[in-house]
Amino acid sequence: MLKQTLSLVLMAALSPLAAHAQSENFSEHEQALYEAAKEEGEVIWYTSQFTTEMSEAACELFMKRYEGITCSPVRATGGVTFQRIMQEVQAGAVQGDILSTNDQTDLIELKKLDALEQFVPNGIETMSPVLKGMNDSDGYFFVSSVSPYGITYNTNLVSEEEAPKSWSDLLDPKWKDQVAIAHPGFSGSAGLWTLAMRDLYGWEYFEKLEVGKPQIGRSIADGYNLVVSGERKVAVTAIALSRQGAVDGQPVATVTPSEGLMLPPSGTAILAAAPHPNAAKLFAEFMLTEEYSVWLRDLQRYPLHADVDTAEGIDPLDPDKVLIVPAQEAIEGLAEVQEKFRDTFGI
Amino acid sequence: MTLVSSSSSQRDTSFAGAGAHVAWFRRLQPSGLLWIVLAAILAVLIVAPVGMLVMKSFTHPDSGGFTIQNYIDAYGKARHVQALVNTLYMGAAVVVLSLLFAVPLAWACTRTNMPGRNLIRFGIFGAFVMPPYLGGVGWILLAGPNSGWLNVAWQWLTGGTESIVNIFSFPGLVLVMAINTYFTIFILVSAAFEMINSEMEDAANILGAGPFTTAMKVTLPLVLPSILGSALLTFLISIALYGVPALISIPARFPVVVIQLSEFFSFPLRIEVAAAYSIPLLLITAGLLTLQKKVLSRKGYTAVSGKGGERRIVNLGKWRWAAFAYSLFVVMLSVIMPLLVLVMAAFSKSWVGGLSLDNLTLQNFHYVLFEHSSSQKALVTSLATGAAAATAAILLALAIAYIVQRRLLPMSEVLAFLSMSPFVIPGIVLAIGFYAVYALPPVGLYGTYLILILAFTTRFLPVAYTTSMAGVRAIHPEMEEAVRILGGGRLVAVRKVVGPLLKRTLASGWLLIFVPAAQELSTAVFLVGPNTRVVSVVLLDMSEEGLLERLSALGSVLLVIIVAVMAIGVRFLGRDFMLRRS
């Protein structure tokens, strides 16, 4: 009895607040999804587009906005995440709800297997025009983050003048044993970078790179951390990591290579057999909210929402100055460069 | 009749003698049912995954028909063959280094008056508790080519910029493997040293041989079977380990089988090719075991017996300090140094920041215990699945060991053989077999705790069986017969006599399984789902992102919990429960 009374009192005390918050912020569509998602109670987010820490922060933000729904991020590299989903699709036991990856070719493969659900979030209307064009035209996935590849270096070990200025500078013998890259067999976006470099300079680029014995990590974040620790002086990495690191006081600086940043637009899709489809849709809508874009901006990343500007000191993305590997080329070329990479680097 | 004659001859006679009806009826007696139940469990755990693996390797992925294309895909490439050659080469090097570490230490700890023997034993025990991938991370912190602590210290001492050690190399890989495997050799060879009596050594002494000549010419040959057996075991463990190669062999550019297998497991998922690729590994291990049996059966080693004579401690004189220095060196390399840097990194903002108050933080622990989305749950999952697997393995092994030892059922050797067979199946290969049978529909266990527990139970069944067998063997049947004379049944005898007498053996066996099972990576890596991640997998993911400080913090938490469980065990079982196994 006491319990019941207490809960009634609590509900009465809280409901005006909650109702107020919802009626002000949530559209009808969002509110309906929220109600349905609350029934499901959970969303499992497979992601390789952020680090573990960022994935968790995004989930925290989601859980704050939509009380009563648990958000569980499962972070791994693109290759590992894709492998996991393929295993699940093959096993007929899909466990994840929504997938974010830096490698859109994975999404295209999954789309071919009917493993994705067609869903265009309402929020796509407010997306910045540059990014809007990169969404899947059939409505199976949308751009959920942009984390271009650039070069980062350790400011304790390398001066600004010494630092590489272009992708081809990494071939300079002075960087022998000092470069870190990621393995395209493990990291999806590293695969795209490998394709982009091949398109620019031919496979010779990697044969020359190998002379300098770069350290090969499994993830693109690994190279960044190698530079932070001073184990390596320069790394090919997602510049969002080093921009944020610099703000946090790490001894790192970011270089925009003269050939252009390599842009793997991260894509997000809902899995066809998702155990929590409504929560997944709600999460997709959440990624396109202004709140989410502000959060991205504050982490020195590119916002998705048209009304949110980039952080101070970061130029808005210029689509003409970035290297983009077309999806079709990626699908055709990825397996080949993975194989060639293994032959050239012996691993 | 032709069908029947293919089964055992024993059954043949019963068929021929009393007719098929009686034989079938007899087999359905309760004891026969028990045999069938146990055999069915073993079939689920071992026969099905391995059988499926072999079958898949000959199956066309699309048509489902017979093909050898999988073998062509698996071995048709120089790089893939190279990985296999590399693996064997690495395994051999690991065996050599492990022997150099373990055999002198085992001898010094059991047969000499070396000072600090207990200290060294305690240190080696640490090598058992530390999982291979944590040892690997410790050594990356120590010997990273540019900023590893040893290199920084060297540069500071000499004022130069040169690096002296590089963990991302073949010797580095072998070192990290060896510091994780020499424990096995130490335990087995120590046990053998403790079984030798001193008469032959005395004879050598009387004829004028010094302590070292005696050790080399008399003692060592006597323990050779143990050395060979444990060397083989080390070889098998090292070629199947996943965590260390994932950490070290990729940057070292030294492809090995387990890394190649994970490639077949990525897109496009090629289970059939992975199966074909792992068959030679199975054949190699089976072949080596057969070879070992042949070699050992040719010579008589009856001098090694538990009975008669006494064991005298060898006086090393002034050399005893040299022996201590070497032992301490091995313990330093394998436990103290990696553990120390790991703990320091766990308390550091940046592991390269060195020792200073500015760099000190508890944030990493706070993060892994309270902020990280899955590490808290993963700790619970690891401990729970480890405990469940250890319990299941011990109970199953005990039932089989009892039946085999008391000859309760016909064909019990089959059960014995099956229980020991996971010993020759590399963990990662077992995982592929389990995945192929149980993850996919119609069974559909993917992403459940059950599949992890089943796989871990299978993986550690041989340890459970060996321990149970030793325990049961030590109990004389007379005591059970007394129960039965007084009217108690077999089950009462087991419950009231065998169980209580075996408590100690079972508990130590349980711990011997729990410790590695709670840290298991090789089997887990393909079987975990998003909700069933174990600590080892979370640690591997952290290593992938290069988050070494946080990884160290989570690894330290895992070690503390496991050491606490061990400490409780030691309290109840006595300090030497692990080091005096026969």
Side-chain angles (χ1 to χ4, degrees), chain B residues 535-576:
Chain B
V535 175
S536 53
V537 172
V538 173
L539 287 170
L540 191 73
D541 287 348
M542 286 181 167
S543 78
E544 190 181 271
E545 280 185 76
L547 302 172
L548 298 184
E549 297 85 6
R550 286 166 175 181
L551 189 162
S552 303
L554 182 56
S556 306
V557 173
L558 177 68
L559 282 179
V560 167
I561 294 174
I562 286 183
V563 167
V565 175
M566 297 288 314
I568 296 169
V570 169
R571 213 184 137 77
F572 284 107
L573 300 168
R575 195 176 48 175
D576 54 14

mmCIF file of all heavy atoms in Angstrom, chain B residues 535-576:
data_model
loop_
_atom_site.group_PDB
_atom_site.id
_atom_site.type_symbol
_atom_site.label_atom_id
_atom_site.label_comp_id
_atom_site.label_asym_id
_atom_site.label_seq_id
_atom_site.Cartn_x
_atom_site.Cartn_y
_atom_site.Cartn_z
ATOM 1 N N VAL B 535 35.834 -10.788 -20.498
ATOM 2 C CA VAL B 535 36.862 -9.766 -20.287
ATOM 3 C C VAL B 535 37.963 -9.831 -21.336
ATOM 4 O O VAL B 535 38.408 -8.806 -21.848
ATOM 5 C CB VAL B 535 37.486 -9.909 -18.883
ATOM 6 C CG1 VAL B 535 38.626 -8.940 -18.715
ATOM 7 C CG2 VAL B 535 36.443 -9.647 -17.831
ATOM 8 N N SER B 536 38.369 -11.067 -21.682
ATOM 9 C CA SER B 536 39.474 -11.187 -22.625
ATOM 10 C C SER B 536 39.144 -10.502 -23.950
ATOM 11 O O SER B 536 40.006 -9.859 -24.550
ATOM 12 C CB SER B 536 39.784 -12.659 -22.856
ATOM 13 O OG SER B 536 38.608 -13.344 -23.226
ATOM 14 N N VAL B 537 37.904 -10.606 -24.377
ATOM 15 C CA VAL B 537 37.500 -9.997 -25.649
ATOM 16 C C VAL B 537 37.459 -8.467 -25.513
ATOM 17 O O VAL B 537 37.897 -7.746 -26.406
ATOM 18 C CB VAL B 537 36.138 -10.553 -26.103
ATOM 19 C CG1 VAL B 537 35.618 -9.804 -27.310
ATOM 20 C CG2 VAL B 537 36.258 -12.035 -26.426
ATOM 21 N N VAL B 538 36.969 -7.988 -24.376
ATOM 22 C CA VAL B 538 36.962 -6.541 -24.138
ATOM 23 C C VAL B 538 38.400 -6.012 -24.129
ATOM 24 O O VAL B 538 38.698 -4.965 -24.712
ATOM 25 C CB VAL B 538 36.251 -6.211 -22.809
ATOM 26 C CG1 VAL B 538 36.390 -4.747 -22.464
ATOM 27 C CG2 VAL B 538 34.781 -6.595 -22.890
ATOM 28 N N LEU B 539 39.298 -6.771 -23.508
ATOM 29 C CA LEU B 539 40.703 -6.357 -23.467
ATOM 30 C C LEU B 539 41.295 -6.315 -24.873
ATOM 31 O O LEU B 539 42.032 -5.390 -25.227
ATOM 32 C CB LEU B 539 41.516 -7.314 -22.590
ATOM 33 C CG LEU B 539 41.271 -7.195 -21.087
ATOM 34 C CD1 LEU B 539 41.931 -8.347 -20.341
ATOM 35 C CD2 LEU B 539 41.801 -5.873 -20.548
ATOM 36 N N LEU B 540 40.938 -7.306 -25.679
ATOM 37 C CA LEU B 540 41.446 -7.340 -27.055
ATOM 38 C C LEU B 540 40.943 -6.122 -27.832
ATOM 39 O O LEU B 540 41.695 -5.495 -28.587
ATOM 40 C CB LEU B 540 40.997 -8.627 -27.742
ATOM 41 C CG LEU B 540 41.672 -8.906 -29.082
ATOM 42 C CD1 LEU B 540 43.105 -9.343 -28.867
ATOM 43 C CD2 LEU B 540 40.927 -9.960 -29.873
ATOM 44 N N ASP B 541 39.676 -5.769 -27.631
ATOM 45 C CA ASP B 541 39.134 -4.585 -28.300
ATOM 46 C C ASP B 541 39.857 -3.323 -27.852
ATOM 47 O O ASP B 541 40.128 -2.424 -28.639
ATOM 48 C CB ASP B 541 37.633 -4.444 -28.003
ATOM 49 C CG ASP B 541 36.814 -5.478 -28.756
ATOM 50 O OD1 ASP B 541 37.380 -6.122 -29.652
ATOM 51 O OD2 ASP B 541 35.629 -5.637 -28.441
ATOM 52 N N MET B 542 40.169 -3.257 -26.549
ATOM 53 C CA MET B 542 40.891 -2.082 -26.057
ATOM 54 C C MET B 542 42.287 -2.012 -26.676
ATOM 55 O O MET B 542 42.776 -0.941 -26.997
ATOM 56 C CB MET B 542 41.011 -2.135 -24.539
ATOM 57 C CG MET B 542 39.726 -1.821 -23.812
ATOM 58 S SD MET B 542 40.010 -1.896 -22.045
ATOM 59 C CE MET B 542 38.512 -1.131 -21.455
ATOM 60 N N SER B 543 42.912 -3.166 -26.836
ATOM 61 C CA SER B 543 44.262 -3.168 -27.402
ATOM 62 C C SER B 543 44.219 -2.691 -28.848
ATOM 63 O O SER B 543 45.117 -2.012 -29.325
ATOM 64 C CB SER B 543 44.865 -4.566 -27.333
ATOM 65 O OG SER B 543 44.338 -5.384 -28.357
ATOM 66 N N GLU B 544 43.142 -3.018 -29.515
ATOM 67 C CA GLU B 544 42.960 -2.614 -30.903
ATOM 68 C C GLU B 544 42.934 -1.101 -31.027
ATOM 69 O O GLU B 544 43.447 -0.525 -31.965
ATOM 70 C CB GLU B 544 41.631 -3.205 -31.311
ATOM 71 C CG GLU B 544 41.245 -3.166 -32.718
ATOM 72 C CD GLU B 544 39.870 -3.811 -32.802
ATOM 73 O OE1 GLU B 544 39.819 -5.031 -32.960
ATOM 74 O OE2 GLU B 544 38.871 -3.096 -32.659
ATOM 75 N N GLU B 545 42.322 -0.426 -30.048
ATOM 76 C CA GLU B 545 42.256 1.025 -30.062
ATOM 77 C C GLU B 545 43.498 1.665 -29.448
ATOM 78 O O GLU B 545 43.599 2.881 -29.375
ATOM 79 C CB GLU B 545 41.026 1.505 -29.280
ATOM 80 C CG GLU B 545 39.737 1.419 -30.051
ATOM 81 C CD GLU B 545 38.589 2.031 -29.268
ATOM 82 O OE1 GLU B 545 38.497 3.256 -29.198
ATOM 83 O OE2 GLU B 545 37.791 1.266 -28.707
ATOM 84 N N GLY B 546 44.396 0.825 -28.931
ATOM 85 C CA GLY B 546 45.606 1.356 -28.327
ATOM 86 C C GLY B 546 45.400 1.971 -26.957
ATOM 87 O O GLY B 546 46.218 2.771 -26.506
ATOM 88 N N LEU B 547 44.307 1.610 -26.285
ATOM 89 C CA LEU B 547 44.026 2.186 -24.960
ATOM 90 C C LEU B 547 44.741 1.382 -23.878
ATOM 91 O O LEU B 547 44.121 0.696 -23.075
ATOM 92 C CB LEU B 547 42.519 2.175 -24.696
ATOM 93 C CG LEU B 547 41.668 2.922 -25.711
ATOM 94 C CD1 LEU B 547 40.194 2.676 -25.468
ATOM 95 C CD2 LEU B 547 41.972 4.413 -25.615
ATOM 96 N N LEU B 548 46.072 1.490 -23.858
ATOM 97 C CA LEU B 548 46.837 0.581 -23.021
ATOM 98 C C LEU B 548 46.665 0.844 -21.530
ATOM 99 O O LEU B 548 46.713 -0.070 -20.717
ATOM 100 C CB LEU B 548 48.318 0.644 -23.415
ATOM 101 C CG LEU B 548 48.595 0.202 -24.852
ATOM 102 C CD1 LEU B 548 50.081 0.210 -25.135
ATOM 103 C CD2 LEU B 548 48.043 -1.189 -25.127
ATOM 104 N N GLU B 549 46.449 2.112 -21.135
ATOM 105 C CA GLU B 549 46.299 2.419 -19.711
ATOM 106 C C GLU B 549 45.024 1.780 -19.174
ATOM 107 O O GLU B 549 45.006 1.174 -18.106
ATOM 108 C CB GLU B 549 46.262 3.932 -19.465
ATOM 109 C CG GLU B 549 47.546 4.671 -19.847
ATOM 110 C CD GLU B 549 47.588 5.052 -21.311
ATOM 111 O OE1 GLU B 549 46.580 4.848 -22.024
ATOM 112 O OE2 GLU B 549 48.637 5.557 -21.766
ATOM 113 N N ARG B 550 43.943 1.941 -19.924
ATOM 114 C CA ARG B 550 42.675 1.384 -19.470
ATOM 115 C C ARG B 550 42.685 -0.134 -19.521
ATOM 116 O O ARG B 550 42.142 -0.798 -18.652
ATOM 117 C CB ARG B 550 41.544 1.934 -20.324
ATOM 118 C CG ARG B 550 41.281 3.358 -19.954
ATOM 119 C CD ARG B 550 40.436 4.060 -20.936
ATOM 120 N NE ARG B 550 40.141 5.392 -20.451
ATOM 121 C CZ ARG B 550 39.390 6.245 -21.103
ATOM 122 N NH1 ARG B 550 38.877 5.906 -22.261
ATOM 123 N NH2 ARG B 550 39.159 7.430 -20.606
ATOM 124 N N LEU B 551 43.303 -0.636 -20.575
ATOM 125 C CA LEU B 551 43.453 -2.081 -20.686
ATOM 126 C C LEU B 551 44.192 -2.604 -19.454
ATOM 127 O O LEU B 551 43.785 -3.602 -18.851
ATOM 128 C CB LEU B 551 44.236 -2.375 -21.954
ATOM 129 C CG LEU B 551 44.375 -3.815 -22.437
ATOM 130 C CD1 LEU B 551 44.777 -3.792 -23.896
ATOM 131 C CD2 LEU B 551 45.370 -4.606 -21.665
ATOM 132 N N SER B 552 45.261 -1.915 -19.069
ATOM 133 C CA SER B 552 46.033 -2.343 -17.907
ATOM 134 C C SER B 552 45.177 -2.327 -16.656
ATOM 135 O O SER B 552 45.274 -3.219 -15.806
ATOM 136 C CB SER B 552 47.235 -1.427 -17.697
ATOM 137 O OG SER B 552 48.037 -1.407 -18.847
ATOM 138 N N ALA B 553 44.316 -1.299 -16.540
ATOM 139 C CA ALA B 553 43.471 -1.197 -15.352
ATOM 140 C C ALA B 553 42.491 -2.373 -15.299
ATOM 141 O O ALA B 553 42.362 -3.045 -14.271
ATOM 142 C CB ALA B 553 42.718 0.129 -15.352
ATOM 143 N N LEU B 554 41.839 -2.654 -16.413
ATOM 144 C CA LEU B 554 40.879 -3.760 -16.429
ATOM 145 C C LEU B 554 41.593 -5.093 -16.212
ATOM 146 O O LEU B 554 41.116 -5.954 -15.464
ATOM 147 C CB LEU B 554 40.106 -3.778 -17.758
ATOM 148 C CG LEU B 554 39.028 -4.848 -17.903
ATOM 149 C CD1 LEU B 554 38.008 -4.766 -16.790
ATOM 150 C CD2 LEU B 554 38.329 -4.752 -19.251
ATOM 151 N N GLY B 555 42.755 -5.237 -16.847
ATOM 152 C CA GLY B 555 43.544 -6.456 -16.648
ATOM 153 C C GLY B 555 43.932 -6.624 -15.192
ATOM 154 O O GLY B 555 43.862 -7.731 -14.649
ATOM 155 N N SER B 556 44.307 -5.525 -14.529
ATOM 156 C CA SER B 556 44.681 -5.613 -13.114
ATOM 157 C C SER B 556 43.495 -6.043 -12.264
ATOM 158 O O SER B 556 43.642 -6.852 -11.344
ATOM 159 C CB SER B 556 45.193 -4.257 -12.598
ATOM 160 O OG SER B 556 46.228 -3.795 -13.416
ATOM 161 N N VAL B 557 42.315 -5.497 -12.578
ATOM 162 C CA VAL B 557 41.123 -5.876 -11.817
ATOM 163 C C VAL B 557 40.868 -7.380 -11.970
ATOM 164 O O VAL B 557 40.622 -8.096 -10.992
ATOM 165 C CB VAL B 557 39.889 -5.068 -12.291
ATOM 166 C CG1 VAL B 557 38.622 -5.590 -11.620
ATOM 167 C CG2 VAL B 557 40.074 -3.594 -11.989
ATOM 168 N N LEU B 558 40.972 -7.854 -13.198
ATOM 169 C CA LEU B 558 40.769 -9.285 -13.450
ATOM 170 C C LEU B 558 41.768 -10.110 -12.642
ATOM 171 O O LEU B 558 41.399 -11.101 -11.997
ATOM 172 C CB LEU B 558 40.930 -9.566 -14.951
ATOM 173 C CG LEU B 558 40.826 -11.028 -15.383
ATOM 174 C CD1 LEU B 558 39.406 -11.532 -15.192
ATOM 175 C CD2 LEU B 558 41.246 -11.221 -16.829
ATOM 176 N N LEU B 559 43.034 -9.684 -12.667
ATOM 177 C CA LEU B 559 44.066 -10.429 -11.939
ATOM 178 C C LEU B 559 43.780 -10.443 -10.442
ATOM 179 O O LEU B 559 43.914 -11.468 -9.779
ATOM 180 C CB LEU B 559 45.443 -9.806 -12.196
ATOM 181 C CG LEU B 559 46.074 -10.140 -13.536
ATOM 182 C CD1 LEU B 559 47.424 -9.448 -13.670
ATOM 183 C CD2 LEU B 559 46.271 -11.643 -13.664
ATOM 184 N N VAL B 560 43.364 -9.295 -9.906
ATOM 185 C CA VAL B 560 43.093 -9.217 -8.467
ATOM 186 C C VAL B 560 41.978 -10.187 -8.094
ATOM 187 O O VAL B 560 42.080 -10.929 -7.106
ATOM 188 C CB VAL B 560 42.725 -7.770 -8.068
ATOM 189 C CG1 VAL B 560 42.127 -7.732 -6.670
ATOM 190 C CG2 VAL B 560 43.956 -6.878 -8.144
ATOM 191 N N ILE B 561 40.916 -10.221 -8.903
ATOM 192 C CA ILE B 561 39.803 -11.119 -8.593
ATOM 193 C C ILE B 561 40.266 -12.580 -8.643
ATOM 194 O O ILE B 561 39.979 -13.380 -7.757
ATOM 195 C CB ILE B 561 38.644 -10.909 -9.585
ATOM 196 C CG1 ILE B 561 38.058 -9.509 -9.395
ATOM 197 C CG2 ILE B 561 37.559 -11.956 -9.371
ATOM 198 C CD1 ILE B 561 37.005 -9.138 -10.413
ATOM 199 N N ILE B 562 41.042 -12.903 -9.670
ATOM 200 C CA ILE B 562 41.472 -14.292 -9.810
ATOM 201 C C ILE B 562 42.424 -14.690 -8.697
ATOM 202 O O ILE B 562 42.318 -15.779 -8.123
ATOM 203 C CB ILE B 562 42.076 -14.505 -11.209
ATOM 204 C CG1 ILE B 562 40.909 -14.528 -12.191
ATOM 205 C CG2 ILE B 562 42.862 -15.789 -11.274
ATOM 206 C CD1 ILE B 562 41.259 -14.799 -13.588
ATOM 207 N N VAL B 563 43.319 -13.768 -8.346
ATOM 208 C CA VAL B 563 44.241 -14.066 -7.247
ATOM 209 C C VAL B 563 43.452 -14.249 -5.954
ATOM 210 O O VAL B 563 43.765 -15.125 -5.143
ATOM 211 C CB VAL B 563 45.307 -12.952 -7.113
ATOM 212 C CG1 VAL B 563 46.061 -13.080 -5.806
ATOM 213 C CG2 VAL B 563 46.269 -13.014 -8.285
ATOM 214 N N ALA B 564 42.388 -13.470 -5.771
ATOM 215 C CA ALA B 564 41.574 -13.615 -4.558
ATOM 216 C C ALA B 564 40.921 -14.990 -4.521
ATOM 217 O O ALA B 564 40.927 -15.657 -3.471
ATOM 218 C CB ALA B 564 40.506 -12.520 -4.515
ATOM 219 N N VAL B 565 40.387 -15.429 -5.656
ATOM 220 C CA VAL B 565 39.782 -16.765 -5.696
ATOM 221 C C VAL B 565 40.839 -17.824 -5.389
ATOM 222 O O VAL B 565 40.618 -18.758 -4.617
ATOM 223 C CB VAL B 565 39.141 -17.031 -7.079
ATOM 224 C CG1 VAL B 565 38.625 -18.461 -7.165
ATOM 225 C CG2 VAL B 565 38.005 -16.059 -7.331
ATOM 226 N N MET B 566 42.021 -17.645 -5.984
ATOM 227 C CA MET B 566 43.119 -18.584 -5.736
ATOM 228 C C MET B 566 43.487 -18.586 -4.260
ATOM 229 O O MET B 566 43.752 -19.627 -3.673
ATOM 230 C CB MET B 566 44.364 -18.189 -6.532
ATOM 231 C CG MET B 566 44.237 -18.205 -8.021
ATOM 232 S SD MET B 566 44.139 -19.829 -8.761
ATOM 233 C CE MET B 566 45.417 -20.709 -7.946
ATOM 234 N N ALA B 567 43.529 -17.389 -3.662
ATOM 235 C CA ALA B 567 43.950 -17.277 -2.268
ATOM 236 C C ALA B 567 42.984 -18.046 -1.369
ATOM 237 O O ALA B 567 43.407 -18.725 -0.426
ATOM 238 C CB ALA B 567 44.017 -15.809 -1.854
ATOM 239 N N ILE B 568 41.705 -17.958 -1.683
ATOM 240 C CA ILE B 568 40.716 -18.723 -0.910
ATOM 241 C C ILE B 568 41.007 -20.218 -1.076
ATOM 242 O O ILE B 568 41.026 -20.978 -0.113
ATOM 243 C CB ILE B 568 39.284 -18.396 -1.388
ATOM 244 C CG1 ILE B 568 38.982 -16.931 -1.104
ATOM 245 C CG2 ILE B 568 38.275 -19.300 -0.697
ATOM 246 C CD1 ILE B 568 37.713 -16.423 -1.770
ATOM 247 N N GLY B 569 41.299 -20.591 -2.328
ATOM 248 C CA GLY B 569 41.634 -21.984 -2.601
ATOM 249 C C GLY B 569 42.855 -22.427 -1.812
ATOM 250 O O GLY B 569 42.852 -23.483 -1.169
ATOM 251 N N VAL B 570 43.876 -21.605 -1.824
ATOM 252 C CA VAL B 570 45.116 -21.948 -1.137
ATOM 253 C C VAL B 570 44.855 -22.099 0.357
ATOM 254 O O VAL B 570 45.380 -22.989 1.027
ATOM 255 C CB VAL B 570 46.181 -20.863 -1.397
ATOM 256 C CG1 VAL B 570 47.384 -21.058 -0.497
ATOM 257 C CG2 VAL B 570 46.611 -20.896 -2.857
ATOM 258 N N ARG B 571 43.987 -21.265 0.892
ATOM 259 C CA ARG B 571 43.658 -21.321 2.316
ATOM 260 C C ARG B 571 43.058 -22.677 2.676
ATOM 261 O O ARG B 571 43.365 -23.258 3.709
ATOM 262 C CB ARG B 571 42.652 -20.220 2.625
ATOM 263 C CG ARG B 571 42.813 -19.657 4.001
ATOM 264 C CD ARG B 571 41.762 -18.646 4.306
ATOM 265 N NE ARG B 571 41.276 -18.885 5.656
ATOM 266 C CZ ARG B 571 41.949 -18.537 6.731
ATOM 267 N NH1 ARG B 571 43.090 -17.915 6.619
ATOM 268 N NH2 ARG B 571 41.473 -18.793 7.934
ATOM 269 N N PHE B 572 42.220 -23.183 1.799
ATOM 270 C CA PHE B 572 41.567 -24.447 2.098
ATOM 271 C C PHE B 572 42.405 -25.648 1.684
ATOM 272 O O PHE B 572 42.289 -26.711 2.261
ATOM 273 C CB PHE B 572 40.194 -24.507 1.412
ATOM 274 C CG PHE B 572 39.180 -23.673 2.127
ATOM 275 C CD1 PHE B 572 38.743 -22.472 1.593
ATOM 276 C CD2 PHE B 572 38.695 -24.070 3.370
ATOM 277 C CE1 PHE B 572 37.826 -21.691 2.272
ATOM 278 C CE2 PHE B 572 37.775 -23.293 4.049
ATOM 279 C CZ PHE B 572 37.335 -22.098 3.504
ATOM 280 N N LEU B 573 43.220 -25.468 0.675
ATOM 281 C CA LEU B 573 43.896 -26.628 0.105
ATOM 282 C C LEU B 573 45.360 -26.721 0.494
ATOM 283 O O LEU B 573 46.002 -27.711 0.233
ATOM 284 C CB LEU B 573 43.782 -26.592 -1.416
ATOM 285 C CG LEU B 573 42.366 -26.602 -1.962
ATOM 286 C CD1 LEU B 573 42.355 -26.263 -3.427
ATOM 287 C CD2 LEU B 573 41.740 -27.960 -1.726
ATOM 288 N N GLY B 574 45.889 -25.676 1.077
ATOM 289 C CA GLY B 574 47.316 -25.690 1.365
ATOM 290 C C GLY B 574 48.086 -25.097 0.215
ATOM 291 O O GLY B 574 47.659 -25.132 -0.927
ATOM 292 N N ARG B 575 49.255 -24.567 0.567
ATOM 293 C CA ARG B 575 49.965 -23.767 -0.394
ATOM 294 C C ARG B 575 50.422 -24.560 -1.614
ATOM 295 O O ARG B 575 50.487 -24.050 -2.715
ATOM 296 C CB ARG B 575 51.181 -23.148 0.281
ATOM 297 C CG ARG B 575 51.790 -22.031 -0.507
ATOM 298 C CD ARG B 575 52.907 -21.420 0.261
ATOM 299 N NE ARG B 575 53.776 -22.485 0.774
ATOM 300 C CZ ARG B 575 54.896 -22.256 1.419
ATOM 301 N NH1 ARG B 575 55.276 -21.041 1.649
ATOM 302 N NH2 ARG B 575 55.635 -23.236 1.860
ATOM 303 N N ASP B 576 50.742 -25.819 -1.406
ATOM 304 C CA ASP B 576 51.395 -26.520 -2.505
ATOM 305 C C ASP B 576 50.421 -27.338 -3.351
ATOM 306 O O ASP B 576 50.817 -28.258 -4.023
ATOM 307 C CB ASP B 576 52.507 -27.409 -1.978
ATOM 308 C CG ASP B 576 52.004 -28.361 -0.907
ATOM 309 O OD1 ASP B 576 50.766 -28.511 -0.777
ATOM 310 O OD2 ASP B 576 52.832 -28.953 -0.223
#
